[in-house]
Amino acid sequence: MSLLSQRCFRHCCRTFFHLGRARPPKTWVVPVAFIHEDSLSSRLSEDKPVFPGSRSSWTEKLEFLEPNRYEGIPVYRVMNTKGEVIDPSQDPKLDKDMVLKMYERMTLLNTMDKILYECQRQGRISFYMTNYGEEGTHIGSAAALDPKDLIFGQYREAGVLMWRGFSLESFMNQCYSNADDIGKGRQMPVHYGSKELNFVTISSTLATQMPQASGAAYAIKRSHTDKCVMCYFGEGAASEGDAHAALNFAAVLDCPVLFFCRNNGYAISTPTQDQYKGDGIASRGSGYGMTTARVDGNDVFAVYNVVKAAREIAVRESRPVLIEAMTYRIGHHSTSDDSSAYRSLDEVSYWDKQDHPISRLRSYMFKQGWWSEDQEKAWMKESRKQVMEAFSKAEKRKKPNPDLLFTDVYDTIPAQLKKQHQEMREHVNLYKEHYPLNNHESMS
């Protein structure tokens, strides 16, 4: 029996006796059944090394792996930029109603973005982030998921929530932080969340949702439920330490989670060439031992196909999948950003005019005879009307009751917090002329 086998056997015995609260014998007797022919010494004589953590072979040729010697990971697509299906076998063959719903959600999101961006510029809301150019990643991925799947977003996935049924009023209420806001006015605008729709509230801190998603997926695995976790993040977030922890955790423990990277070209003002040297984010998948795909994020059908297949892997085989959606952020990073300072208008114009997910899907619908110029004009008018009505209603609503600052953290409010609450009320009543109390619902 090899030395390694003897040590393994003794470790197992010690564990057994420890759990049984009995003392191990002074003399170790190794049963014959424990001796394996495939011992370490016998394997050392084979052609392949046995170092733990690798699947290598021997070589007597000194050669470094040079990344430039390998072709980039291909980008999967279904349609070209003209909305033509390239390979009929890859057509998801979605029915007319499904495709129309996709298009209407993508364009409604676009209309909402335009109005709320203007609202911020007029000082009506404090902050906003548009989704221009990335609508295909939102709708294509959301349509392929099951409503019971848990979603962790970053901060540019409004279309996912819209697909799941988050109303225009809910979007507006959150951005205005009014009394009808689900989050009770405690979050910055665009930090949406909905327990009812299985969408975890967005956090400002970059990449924190990634290890949270891995942990949630591990809990789902242990509960043996037929669902998975979807985690959205940008290529800039992939440079955070949390990204490594999340991907490694999920891969090692075989968690049913889809990591969906929106590679839109820029992490705020930092272009991809200044973020990483390798072949995008998908190239990291094999390093983590994770099934990986790269998809054209401006092709809503391609995104749908990839996420649908990835979800099947995650749910049926209980293992993670990394998806990199190649797209482009047409808008500014946020209302605090001026992207003209770090990229040319010609570059933005190309993606807006030549390779936009909305125009690509519209071209497809025209070719199918499912859409017309008259329908387009009527829908654009109707969608703007819907957004404006929700906007007008949300703007008139008062802000939440200040008492809500002290609720929803503890089941039973501790004495110290009660004292702070009372001090706040006394202070505001004493100096009420300095506070816009008329803009808030009255304190009880």
Side-chain angles (χ1 to χ4, degrees):
M1 185 177 188
S2 69
L3 179 61
L4 177 62
S5 298
Q6 293 180 44
R7 288 176 176 172
C8 290
F9 173 73
R10 291 176 181 175
H11 173 74
C12 292
C13 290
R14 288 194 184 98
T15 302
F16 171 78
F17 283 108
H18 174 71
L19 294 175
R21 297 185 181 277
R23 295 178 61 84
K26 293 182 179 180
T27 303
W28 293 90
V29 179
V30 182
V32 176
F34 192 82
I35 302 176
H36 298 285
E37 293 182 1
D38 187 25
S39 63
L40 180 60
S41 58
S42 64
R43 284 184 285 152
L44 283 174
S45 63
E46 297 178 359
D47 294 333
K48 289 189 176 182
V50 293
F51 301 112
S54 72
R55 298 187 298 272
S56 306
S57 59
W58 295 116
T59 181
E60 285 71 46
K61 182 179 180 181
L62 176 57
E63 187 176 24
F64 292 99
L65 294 178
E66 294 291 346
N68 295 332
R69 290 173 50 192
Y70 302 94
E71 293 291 331
I73 298 172
V75 181
Y76 169 74
R77 65 174 180 168
V78 173
M79 294 186 290
N80 59 23
T81 56
K82 298 178 182 179
E84 301 167 338
V85 175
I86 302 167
D87 181 352
S89 69
Q90 296 302 304
D91 188 345
K93 293 183 171 39
L94 302 175
D95 60 39
K96 178 181 178 180
D97 290 342
M98 181 71 156
V99 174
L100 288 178
K101 181 181 177 182
M102 284 178 159
Y103 184 74
E104 289 179 352
R105 291 298 182 274
M106 290 167 70
T107 49
L108 184 62
L109 174 62
N110 193 269
T111 301
M112 183 181 78
D113 277 346
K114 292 176 182 176
I115 291 174
L116 285 176
Y117 183 85
E118 293 169 359
C119 286
Q120 194 282 332
R121 285 295 184 248
Q122 296 168 1
R124 289 174 155 173
I125 59 177
S126 61
F127 180 80
Y128 194 69
M129 302 182 81
T130 63
N131 305 275
Y132 300 142
E134 300 182 49
E135 297 90 348
T137 64
H138 297 194
I139 302 305
S141 61
L145 295 172
D146 189 284
K148 66 177 178 290
D149 293 334
L150 184 63
I151 292 177
F152 286 81
Q154 186 164 310
Y155 43 55
R156 211 184 299 277
E157 285 82 32
V160 178
L161 260 175
M162 184 175 284
W163 179 267
R164 288 201 163 189
F166 205 65
S167 66
L168 288 172
E169 288 78 11
S170 296
F171 282 114
M172 297 293 174
N173 291 336
Q174 199 283 326
C175 288
Y176 271 94
S177 298
N178 65 26
D180 290 331
D181 172 23
I182 297 174
K184 301 180 181 178
R186 295 164 176 160
Q187 285 274 19
M188 286 177 62
V190 307
H191 288 54
Y192 311 113
S194 173
K195 183 177 181 180
E196 178 185 1
L197 300 176
N198 297 312
F199 193 103
V200 178
T201 302
I202 293 168
S203 301
S204 290
T205 313
L206 197 64
T208 55
Q209 78 278 8
M210 297 181 71
Q212 294 169 1
S214 295
Y218 186 60
I220 287 174
K221 175 182 179 178
R222 291 177 61 86
S223 65
H224 302 288
T225 53
D226 189 25
K227 60 183 180 180
C228 70
V229 173
M230 170 65 106
C231 179
Y232 293 92
F233 63 102
E235 84 287 346
S239 297
E240 295 287 330
D242 277 349
H244 165 77
L247 296 170
N248 195 53
F249 184 103
V252 171
L253 296 179
D254 288 323
C255 301
V257 54
L258 310 182
F259 289 104
F260 190 97
C261 176
R262 297 175 292 93
N263 192 334
N264 60 24
Y266 292 89
I268 308 182
S269 58
T270 306
T272 53
Q273 63 265 25
D274 293 334
Q275 291 181 56
Y276 52 78
K277 192 69 174 177
D279 180 28
I281 307 304
S283 62
R284 306 178 192 182
S286 60
Y288 289 105
M290 191 178 296
T291 299
T292 306
R294 176 176 283 165
V295 62
D296 182 352
N298 294 341
D299 180 348
V300 68
F301 292 162
V303 175
Y304 174 86
N305 284 350
V306 167
V307 173
K308 183 178 180 181
R311 184 187 183 275
E312 184 72 15
I313 293 172
V315 173
R316 301 303 172 200
E317 301 177 29
S318 187
R319 55 191 178 95
V321 180
L322 174 62
I323 301 169
E324 182 181 22
M326 311 305 292
T327 182
Y328 188 83
R329 194 197 79 212
I330 293 175
H332 305 296
H333 174 73
S334 71
T335 49
S336 302
D337 173 48
D338 178 9
S339 64
S340 64
Y342 53 83
R343 60 183 184 177
S344 69
L345 294 178
D346 289 341
E347 176 183 317
V348 177
S349 178
Y350 167 80
W351 292 99
D352 189 24
K353 306 299 183 184
Q354 303 298 323
D355 194 5
H356 198 289
I358 291 179
S359 60
R360 193 186 296 196
L361 182 58
R362 182 168 58 242
S363 296
Y364 172 86
M365 293 163 60
F366 280 157
K367 296 178 191 303
Q368 299 297 316
W370 294 349
W371 201 246
S372 67
E373 291 291 349
D374 290 340
Q375 287 174 298
E376 177 76 8
K377 292 177 182 178
W379 169 242
M380 290 297 105
K381 183 178 180 179
E382 173 61 23
S383 62
R384 182 173 177 82
K385 178 184 176 183
Q386 291 181 17
V387 175
M388 289 301 296
E389 288 176 351
F391 149 73
S392 179
K393 183 179 179 181
E395 190 173 45
K396 295 176 183 177
R397 192 73 171 90
K398 286 190 173 184
K399 301 296 182 183
N401 181 342
D403 286 330
L404 296 176
L405 288 167
F406 300 88
T407 61
D408 296 341
V409 175
Y410 299 96
D411 181 39
T412 301
I413 300 178
Q416 184 179 5
L417 197 57
K418 288 182 179 179
K419 181 181 178 182
Q420 292 178 13
H421 186 189
Q422 183 60 32
E423 289 174 348
M424 182 276 289
R425 293 174 64 90
E426 292 173 355
H427 173 83
V428 170
N429 287 329
L430 184 61
Y431 301 102
K432 59 179 63 178
E433 67 275 13
H434 298 289
Y435 293 93
L437 296 177
N438 291 334
N439 296 338
H440 291 260
E441 290 194 328
S442 61
M443 292 185 287
S444 57

